[in-house]
Amino acid sequence: AQRVTQPEKLLSVFKGAPVELKCNYSYSGSPELFWYVQYSRQRLQLLLRHISRESIKGFTADLNKGETSFHLKKPFAQEEDSAMYYCALSGPGTYKYIFGTGTRLKVLA
Amino acid sequence: SAVISQKPSRDICQRGTSLTIQCQVDSQVTMMFWYRQQPGQSLTLIATANQGSEATYESGFVIDKFPISRPNLTFSTLTVSNMSPEDSSIYLCSVRAGGPHEQYFGPGTRLTVT
């Protein structure tokens, strides 16, 4: 079955601490993996995608095909990182997304 | 990029009635999607709105319950028919614009069915 699992509903860290938001997936084939973010009172927006191998707002995510994981990491959390984070996958060429249930990140002062 | 607006932003409806949600995009787009996010749940794709033809529905969603229109490349509607409290959700419109994975989301419509 195609599935995205985010085991943590809520993750609280102190400002300046490292952050890791976990994402595991199940998919037969080679999916595209994404992280979306939703800040308070804003719409869902793309944070990063694995094919770009980019760092956005200090966040990175490495696709581990062996462990079928795509964890989101940031070495030093900032208060403005507080938001809801969704991991998602898409089959090649389908443009249809399967989302995880999301993790709420709270960065404490 | 694409800017998406949805109407209404929220509504409270009675059981058994229907609500039509509008999605307007500021540019012509090929692919438009409708998602549902039930309380505490993930976003689930309802259907792909195809311009000039019937929508393509995902497993578990049917046209009689969620009829969709796509009269042109900038507009789509989703109707939630014969509503029950289980239909209380946020409904989101999404479009693909630009590159293969340039996907944008609307602000959502928060529906409460009493």
Side-chain angles (χ1 to χ4, degrees):
Chain A
Q2 301 171 4
R3 187 185 302 121
V4 175
T5 302
Q6 294 180 251
E8 303 139 329
K9 282 193 171 181
L10 173 65
L11 182 64
S12 297
V13 300
F14 284 102
K15 177 181 172 182
V19 172
E20 182 178 65
L21 300 170
K22 291 185 167 49
C23 172
N24 289 90
Y25 67 91
S26 172
Y27 188 87
S28 55
S30 297
E32 308 280 2
L33 273 296
F34 307 85
W35 277 98
Y36 277 79
V37 61
Q38 188 167 28
Y39 301 102
S40 178
R41 297 190 186 86
Q42 294 187 27
R43 63 191 65 192
L44 196 63
Q45 58 186 288
L46 178 66
L47 180 63
L48 55 79
R49 49 196 158 191
H50 91 273
I51 57 173
S52 300
R53 294 186 172 273
E54 56 203 342
S55 174
I56 303 293
K57 299 183 179 183
F59 284 98
T60 59
D62 290 322
L63 178 61
N64 186 322
K65 293 185 178 180
E67 296 182 358
T68 59
S69 68
F70 188 56
H71 303 327
L72 183 68
K73 299 177 184 179
K74 185 170 183 177
F76 308 103
Q78 302 299 314
E79 288 182 73
E80 55 266 30
D81 296 328
S82 295
M84 195 73 180
Y85 291 81
Y86 294 93
C87 183
L89 71 76
S90 173
T94 67
Y95 313 122
K96 297 188 295 186
Y97 287 84
I98 298 171
F99 283 87
T101 50
T103 298
R104 181 169 297 283
L105 174 65
K106 285 190 176 180
V107 181
L108 309 171
Chain B
S1 68
V3 178
I4 305 168
S5 60
Q6 285 185 234
K7 289 183 182 179
S9 58
R10 59 177 62 222
D11 207 341
I12 300 173
C13 300
Q14 290 197 342
R15 178 196 301 261
T17 63
S18 298
L19 176 73
T20 295
I21 302 168
Q22 299 179 6
C23 176
Q24 180 75 53
V25 190
D26 68 342
S27 58
Q28 293 186 342
V29 295
T30 307
M31 307 189 78
M32 295 180 78
F33 307 92
W34 286 98
Y35 286 84
R36 179 176 74 179
Q37 186 175 25
Q38 293 177 301
Q41 303 295 316
S42 179
L43 287 83
T44 303
L45 181 63
I46 297 172
T48 303
N50 303 308
Q51 196 269 327
S53 64
E54 278 197 2
T56 305
Y57 289 83
E58 298 300 306
S59 175
F61 297 97
V62 295
I63 188 171
D64 290 347
K65 176 67 175 177
F66 297 102
I68 288 172
S69 78
R70 178 88 192 270
N72 56 52
L73 292 175
T74 64
F75 186 78
S76 177
T77 67
L78 169 75
T79 299
V80 187
S81 303
N82 188 24
M83 288 184 284
S84 66
E86 292 72 35
D87 294 320
S88 298
S89 294
I90 297 173
Y91 291 86
L92 295 115
C93 174
S94 170
V95 306
R96 185 175 77 85
H101 284 291
E102 297 284 340
Q103 193 149 353
Y104 301 89
F105 286 84
T109 296
R110 184 179 293 273
L111 171 62
T112 302
V113 184
T114 60

